[in-house]
Amino acid sequence: MAKIELVLGDITQMDVDAIVNAANESLLGGGGVDGAIHRAAGPQLLEECRTLGGCPTGEARITKGYNLKARHVIHTVGPIWRGGQHNETVLLRNAYVNSLMLAHKHGLKSIAFPNISTGVYHFPKQSAAHIAIRAVEEFTAKNRLPERVVFVCFDHENYNIYKEILG
Ligand code: AR6
């Protein structure tokens, strides 16, 4: 089982093999963590993203990290919360699992996740945290890589929820 860590802070500062971006299906940037990652990585990140042709909700794509400390960015798209009857739970889990699968495929040892979909996509934070932690625990129990997974919470509410669940 991987080492799971919890950090309160800015994911763009993380020194890991990959940081995960909570993007939208265009992969052409946006606000929130997506905007912060593009600002910190520099314009070459957007150039590479333009070549990818977008990404459906629940899937993931990998790019270089450019000016980031992180060597790669794994862009995934979480679901927009629409009340809970639109496959949101499965799609959020898929966003985590497909990001982990990409990290595994590329031999990456460490990965940092933001709290996907809990910003402007309005997924309820408590259930999003349970889905994220369960997906990571199940994946890392079966796979040697990644061996270090960091949940980076930007707001105290998410941080306290993760702290409580992770114990
Ligand atoms: N480091 C870590 N976490 C952050 C940072 C940061 N620098 N900045 C914000 N967060 P959001 P979503 C947290 O809205 O809900 C974008 O416009 C934030 O506190 O960034 O998946 C995309 O282009 C929250 O907990 O992503 C999409 O259009 C979490 O990141 C859309 O937003 C996710 O909030 C995706 O919405």
Side-chain angles (χ1 to χ4, degrees):
M1 181 85 89
K3 188 165 179 271
I4 296 178
E5 296 168 33
L6 178 61
V7 165
L8 176 66
D10 179 357
I11 201 166
T12 66
Q13 302 305 310
M14 294 296 298
D15 186 0
V16 285
D17 291 328
I19 61 171
V20 176
N21 182 15
N24 59 64
E25 289 190 338
S26 78
L27 297 186
L28 298 179
V33 69
D34 193 3
I37 288 172
H38 275 274
R39 275 194 300 279
Q44 286 174 295
L45 180 61
L46 183 56
E47 264 176 54
E48 187 176 355
C49 284
R50 284 192 202 285
T51 69
L52 299 176
C55 176
T57 300
E59 294 189 18
R61 302 287 185 266
I62 192 166
T63 65
K64 292 185 218 165
Y66 300 100
N67 297 338
L68 293 164
K69 281 183 203 150
R71 270 67 76 196
H72 302 273
V73 179
I74 292 176
H75 307 261
T76 190
V77 184
I80 299 169
W81 181 259
R82 292 193 286 146
Q85 302 302 311
H86 295 84
N87 213 27
E88 291 98 325
T89 296
V90 170
L91 291 169
L92 184 62
R93 180 185 167 84
N94 288 353
Y96 281 93
V97 172
N98 285 319
S99 298
L100 290 162
M101 281 173 65
L102 261 186
H104 182 267
K105 187 176 150 198
H106 287 262
L108 307 186
K109 290 183 180 165
S110 54
I111 184 171
F113 282 101
N115 306 133
I116 300 166
S117 285
T118 68
V120 300
Y121 281 2
H122 290 298
F123 203 108
K125 291 179 181 177
Q126 182 83 30
S127 53
H130 279 284
I131 291 163
I133 291 167
R134 179 171 296 187
V136 165
E137 285 180 345
E138 288 178 2
F139 187 91
T140 60
K142 291 191 206 124
N143 298 279
R144 200 181 58 79
L145 291 177
E147 63 191 19
R148 178 179 170 227
V149 180
V150 189
F151 289 111
V152 181
C153 301
F154 198 61
D155 57 276
H156 288 269
E157 191 186 351
N158 264 316
Y159 180 76
N160 289 331
I161 290 168
Y162 273 77
K163 205 167 145 189
E164 172 108 24
I165 300 171
L166 292 168

